[in-house]
Structures are given as C-alpha cells and as structure tokens.
Coordinates of all heavy atoms in Angstrom, one line a residue:
E665 N 0.9 -1.2 0.1 CA 0.0 0.0 0.0 C 0.8 1.3 0.0 O 0.3 2.4 -0.1 CB -0.9 0.0 1.2 CG -1.9 -1.1 1.3 CD -2.7 -1.2 2.6 OE1 -2.0 -1.5 3.7 OE2 -3.8 -1.0 2.6
L666 N 2.1 1.1 0.1 CA 3.0 2.3 0.2 C 3.5 2.7 -1.2 O 4.2 1.8 -2.0 CB 4.2 2.1 1.1 CG 3.8 1.8 2.5 CD1 5.1 1.0 3.2 CD2 3.5 3.1 3.2
A667 N 3.1 3.9 -1.6 CA 3.6 4.3 -3.0 C 5.1 4.3 -3.3 O 5.6 4.1 -4.4 CB 3.1 5.8 -3.2
D668 N 6.0 4.6 -2.1 CA 7.3 4.6 -2.4 C 8.1 3.5 -1.7 O 9.4 3.6 -1.5 CB 7.9 5.9 -1.9 CG 7.7 6.1 -0.3 OD1 7.0 5.5 0.2 OD2 8.5 7.1 0.2
F669 N 7.5 2.4 -1.4 CA 8.1 1.1 -1.0 C 9.0 0.7 -2.2 O 8.5 0.6 -3.4 CB 7.2 0.1 -0.5 CG 7.9 -1.2 -0.2 CD1 8.6 -1.5 1.0 CD2 7.9 -2.3 -1.2 CE1 9.3 -2.6 1.2 CE2 8.5 -3.5 -0.9 CZ 9.3 -3.7 0.2
S670 N 10.3 0.3 -1.9 CA 11.0 -0.2 -3.0 C 12.3 -1.0 -2.4 O 12.6 -0.7 -1.3 CB 11.7 0.9 -3.8 OG 12.7 0.5 -4.7
V671 N 12.7 -2.0 -3.1 CA 13.8 -2.8 -2.7 C 15.0 -2.5 -3.6 O 15.9 -3.3 -3.7 CB 13.6 -4.3 -2.6 CG1 12.5 -4.6 -1.5 CG2 13.1 -4.8 -4.0
E672 N 14.9 -1.5 -4.4 CA 15.9 -1.2 -5.4 C 17.3 -1.0 -4.8 O 18.3 -1.3 -5.4 CB 15.4 0.0 -6.2 CG 16.3 0.5 -7.4 CD 15.7 1.6 -8.2 OE1 15.4 2.6 -7.6 OE2 15.5 1.5 -9.4
Q673 N 17.3 -0.4 -3.6 CA 18.6 -0.1 -2.9 C 19.3 -1.4 -2.5 O 20.5 -1.4 -2.2 CB 18.4 0.8 -1.7 CG 17.4 0.3 -0.6 CD 17.4 1.1 0.6 OE1 18.5 1.6 1.1 NE2 16.1 1.3 1.1
Y674 N 18.5 -2.5 -2.6 CA 19.2 -3.7 -2.2 C 19.7 -4.5 -3.5 O 20.8 -5.1 -3.4 CB 18.2 -4.6 -1.4 CG 17.8 -4.0 -0.1 CD1 16.6 -3.3 0.1 CD2 18.8 -4.1 1.1 CE1 16.3 -2.8 1.3 CE2 18.3 -3.6 2.2 CZ 17.2 -2.9 2.3 OH 16.9 -2.3 3.6
F675 N 18.8 -4.5 -4.5 CA 19.1 -5.4 -5.6 C 19.6 -4.6 -6.8 O 19.9 -5.2 -7.9 CB 17.8 -6.2 -5.9 CG 17.4 -7.1 -4.8 CD1 16.3 -6.9 -4.1 CD2 18.1 -8.2 -4.5 CE1 15.8 -7.7 -3.1 CE2 17.7 -9.0 -3.4 CZ 16.6 -8.7 -2.7
G676 N 19.5 -3.3 -6.7 CA 19.8 -2.6 -8.0 C 18.6 -2.3 -9.0 O 17.6 -2.8 -8.6
N677 N 19.0 -1.6 -9.9 CA 17.9 -1.3 -10.9 C 18.2 -2.0 -12.3 O 17.7 -1.4 -13.3 CB 17.6 0.2 -11.0 CG 18.8 1.0 -11.4 OD1 19.9 0.4 -11.7 ND2 18.7 2.2 -11.2
D678 N 19.1 -2.9 -12.3 CA 19.3 -3.8 -13.5 C 18.5 -5.1 -13.5 O 18.8 -5.8 -12.5 CB 20.9 -4.0 -13.5 CG 21.3 -4.8 -14.7 OD1 20.5 -5.4 -15.5 OD2 22.6 -4.9 -15.1
T679 N 17.6 -5.2 -14.3 CA 16.8 -6.5 -14.3 C 17.5 -7.7 -14.5 O 17.0 -8.8 -14.1 CB 15.7 -6.3 -15.4 OG1 16.4 -6.1 -16.7 CG2 14.8 -5.1 -15.1
V680 N 18.8 -7.6 -15.0 CA 19.5 -8.9 -15.2 C 19.8 -9.7 -13.9 O 19.6 -10.8 -13.8 CB 20.8 -8.7 -15.9 CG1 21.7 -9.8 -16.1 CG2 20.6 -8.0 -17.4
N681 N 20.1 -8.8 -12.8 CA 20.4 -9.4 -11.5 C 19.3 -8.9 -10.6 O 19.7 -8.5 -9.4 CB 21.8 -9.0 -11.1 CG 22.9 -9.4 -12.0 OD1 23.1 -10.7 -12.1 ND2 23.7 -8.6 -12.5
K682 N 18.1 -9.1 -10.9 CA 17.0 -8.5 -10.1 C 17.1 -9.0 -8.6 O 16.9 -8.1 -7.7 CB 15.7 -9.0 -10.8 CG 14.5 -8.5 -10.1 CD 14.4 -6.9 -10.3 CE 13.1 -6.3 -9.7 NZ 13.0 -4.9 -9.8
R683 N 17.4 -10.3 -8.4 CA 17.3 -10.7 -6.9 C 18.7 -11.2 -6.5 O 18.8 -11.9 -5.5 CB 16.3 -11.8 -6.9 CG 15.0 -11.5 -7.4 CD 14.3 -10.4 -6.7 NE 13.9 -10.6 -5.3 CZ 13.4 -9.8 -4.5 NH1 13.0 -8.5 -4.9 NH2 13.1 -10.0 -3.4
Q684 N 19.7 -10.7 -7.1 CA 21.1 -11.1 -6.6 C 21.7 -9.8 -6.1 O 22.3 -9.0 -6.8 CB 21.9 -11.7 -7.7 CG 21.3 -13.1 -8.3 CD 21.3 -14.1 -7.3 OE1 22.4 -14.2 -6.5 NE2 20.2 -14.8 -7.2
W685 N 21.7 -9.5 -4.8 CA 22.1 -8.4 -4.2 C 23.6 -8.1 -4.5 O 24.1 -7.0 -4.7 CB 21.8 -8.2 -2.8 CG 22.8 -8.9 -1.9 CD1 22.7 -10.2 -1.5 CD2 24.0 -8.4 -1.3 NE1 23.7 -10.6 -0.6 CE2 24.5 -9.4 -0.5 CE3 24.5 -7.1 -1.3 CZ2 25.7 -9.2 0.3 CZ3 25.7 -7.0 -0.6 CH2 26.2 -7.9 0.3
Q686 N 24.5 -9.1 -4.3 CA 25.9 -8.9 -4.7 C 26.3 -8.6 -6.1 O 27.1 -7.8 -6.4 CB 26.7 -10.1 -4.2 CG 26.7 -10.4 -2.7 CD 27.5 -11.6 -2.4 OE1 27.1 -12.8 -2.9 NE2 28.4 -11.5 -1.4
G687 N 25.4 -9.1 -7.1 CA 25.6 -8.7 -8.4 C 24.8 -7.7 -8.9 O 24.7 -7.3 -10.2
G688 N 24.0 -7.0 -8.1 CA 23.1 -6.0 -8.5 C 23.9 -4.8 -8.9 O 24.9 -4.4 -8.4
T689 N 23.4 -4.2 -10.0 CA 24.2 -2.9 -10.6 C 23.1 -1.7 -10.5 O 21.9 -2.1 -10.5 CB 24.6 -3.3 -12.0 OG1 23.6 -3.7 -12.8 CG2 25.6 -4.3 -12.0
F690 N 23.8 -0.7 -10.6 CA 22.8 0.7 -10.4 C 23.2 1.5 -11.6 O 24.4 1.7 -12.0 CB 23.3 1.2 -9.1 CG 22.9 0.5 -7.9 CD1 23.9 -0.4 -7.4 CD2 21.8 0.6 -7.3 CE1 23.6 -1.3 -6.3 CE2 21.4 -0.3 -6.2 CZ 22.4 -1.2 -5.8
A691 N 22.2 2.1 -12.1 CA 22.4 3.0 -13.3 C 21.5 4.2 -13.1 O 20.4 4.1 -12.6 CB 22.1 2.2 -14.6
Y692 N 21.9 5.4 -13.6 CA 21.1 6.5 -13.7 C 21.1 7.4 -15.0 O 22.3 7.4 -15.6 CB 21.5 7.6 -12.5 CG 20.5 8.5 -12.2 CD1 19.3 8.3 -11.4 CD2 20.5 9.8 -13.0 CE1 18.4 9.3 -11.2 CE2 19.4 10.7 -12.7 CZ 18.4 10.5 -11.9 OH 17.4 11.4 -11.7
D693 N 20.0 7.5 -15.6 CA 20.1 8.0 -17.0 C 20.9 7.1 -17.9 O 21.7 7.8 -18.8 CB 20.5 9.4 -17.0 CG 19.5 10.4 -16.6 OD1 18.3 9.9 -16.5 OD2 19.7 11.6 -16.4
G694 N 20.8 5.9 -17.8 CA 21.4 5.0 -18.7 C 23.0 4.8 -18.3 O 23.7 4.1 -19.1
Q695 N 23.5 5.5 -17.3 CA 24.9 5.4 -17.0 C 25.0 4.6 -15.8 O 24.6 4.8 -14.7 CB 25.4 6.8 -16.7 CG 27.0 6.8 -16.7 CD 27.6 8.2 -16.5 OE1 26.9 9.2 -16.1 NE2 28.7 8.4 -17.0
R696 N 25.9 3.5 -15.9 CA 26.2 2.6 -14.8 C 27.1 3.3 -13.7 O 28.1 3.9 -14.0 CB 26.8 1.3 -15.2 CG 26.9 0.4 -14.0 CD 27.3 -1.1 -14.6 NE 26.2 -1.6 -15.2 CZ 26.1 -2.9 -15.6 NH1 27.2 -3.7 -15.5 NH2 25.1 -3.4 -16.2
L697 N 26.7 3.2 -12.5 CA 27.3 4.0 -11.4 C 27.6 3.0 -10.2 O 27.0 1.9 -10.1 CB 26.5 5.1 -10.8 CG 26.1 6.3 -11.9 CD1 25.2 7.2 -11.3 CD2 27.3 6.9 -12.5
D698 N 28.6 3.3 -9.3 CA 28.6 2.4 -8.2 C 27.4 2.9 -7.2 O 26.8 4.0 -7.4 CB 30.0 2.7 -7.5 CG 30.1 3.8 -6.6 OD1 29.5 4.8 -6.8 OD2 31.0 3.7 -5.5
Y699 N 27.3 2.1 -6.2 CA 26.1 2.3 -5.3 C 26.0 3.7 -4.8 O 25.0 4.3 -4.8 CB 26.1 1.2 -4.3 CG 24.9 1.5 -3.2 CD1 23.6 1.2 -3.5 CD2 25.3 2.0 -1.9 CE1 22.6 1.5 -2.6 CE2 24.2 2.3 -1.0 CZ 23.0 1.9 -1.4 OH 22.0 2.2 -0.5
Y700 N 27.1 4.2 -4.3 CA 27.1 5.4 -3.5 C 26.8 6.7 -4.5 O 26.2 7.7 -4.2 CB 28.4 5.7 -2.6 CG 28.5 4.6 -1.6 CD1 29.1 3.4 -1.8 CD2 27.6 4.8 -0.5 CE1 29.3 2.4 -1.0 CE2 27.9 3.7 0.6 CZ 28.5 2.5 0.2 OH 28.6 1.6 1.3
D701 N 27.5 6.5 -5.7 CA 27.2 7.5 -6.8 C 25.7 7.5 -7.2 O 25.2 8.5 -7.4 CB 28.1 7.3 -8.0 CG 29.3 8.1 -7.9 OD1 29.4 9.0 -7.1 OD2 30.2 8.0 -8.8
W702 N 25.3 6.3 -7.4 CA 23.9 6.2 -7.8 C 22.9 6.8 -6.7 O 21.9 7.6 -7.1 CB 23.5 4.6 -7.9 CG 22.0 4.4 -8.2 CD1 21.2 4.7 -9.3 CD2 21.1 3.9 -7.2 NE1 19.9 4.4 -9.0 CE2 19.9 3.8 -7.7 CE3 21.3 3.4 -5.7 CZ2 18.6 3.5 -7.0 CZ3 20.1 3.1 -5.1 CH2 18.9 3.0 -5.6
V703 N 23.2 6.5 -5.4 CA 22.3 7.2 -4.4 C 22.3 8.6 -4.5 O 21.2 9.3 -4.5 CB 22.8 6.8 -2.9 CG1 22.2 7.6 -1.8 CG2 22.4 5.2 -2.8
R704 N 23.4 9.1 -4.7 CA 23.5 10.6 -4.7 C 22.9 11.3 -6.0 O 22.2 12.3 -5.9 CB 25.1 11.2 -4.6 CG 25.2 12.6 -4.5 CD 26.6 13.0 -4.1 NE 26.7 14.4 -4.2 CZ 28.0 15.0 -4.1 NH1 28.9 14.3 -3.7 NH2 28.0 16.3 -4.3
N705 N 23.1 10.6 -7.1 CA 22.3 11.0 -8.3 C 20.8 10.9 -8.2 O 20.1 11.9 -8.7 CB 22.8 10.3 -9.5 CG 24.3 10.8 -10.0 OD1 24.3 11.5 -11.1 ND2 25.4 10.3 -9.4
A706 N 20.5 9.8 -7.7 CA 19.0 9.6 -7.5 C 18.3 10.5 -6.5 O 17.2 10.9 -6.9 CB 18.7 8.1 -7.1
V707 N 19.0 10.9 -5.4 CA 18.4 11.8 -4.5 C 18.5 13.1 -5.1 O 17.5 13.9 -4.8 CB 19.2 11.7 -3.3 CG1 18.9 12.8 -2.3 CG2 19.0 10.4 -2.5
A708 N 19.5 13.5 -5.9 CA 19.4 14.8 -6.6 C 18.4 14.9 -7.6 O 17.9 16.0 -8.1 CB 20.9 15.0 -7.1

C-alpha cells in the first residue's frame, strides 16, 4: 500500500540481476554507477 516502497537499494535497478544483491548494478540516466554515486544522483 506504500507508494514509495522499493527494494531497489538492495538489488539494484538492473533487471539482469534482479534478486542477486551482490551482483546488483545501479544506473542513472543509462549510465552505470557505483552504489554511492547512484544514491547521490538519484536523490538529486
């Protein structure tokens, strides 16, 4: 029921490794980033 519930921070937003947290990758505007860079871009 929560509009902003998400597990993206755990598994990444790459559908290839959807449920593999260690292999999860993060991208913003099509550019792959490390987790901490992704957080900062996404929050900005």
Side-chain angles (χ1 to χ4, degrees):
E665 298 172 295
L666 293 165
D668 64 342
F669 171 79
S670 172
V671 294
E672 193 175 47
Q673 62 178 312
Y674 297 99
F675 299 109
N677 53 7
D678 183 344
T679 56
V680 174
N681 294 304
K682 184 69 175 175
R683 307 301 294 182
Q684 299 294 322
W685 79 271
Q686 288 177 307
T689 56
F690 299 87
Y692 195 84
D693 278 351
Q695 187 172 35
R696 184 166 291 186
L697 304 170
D698 87 331
Y699 173 74
Y700 299 94
D701 262 354
W702 170 74
V703 166
R704 189 163 166 187
N705 279 261
V707 170

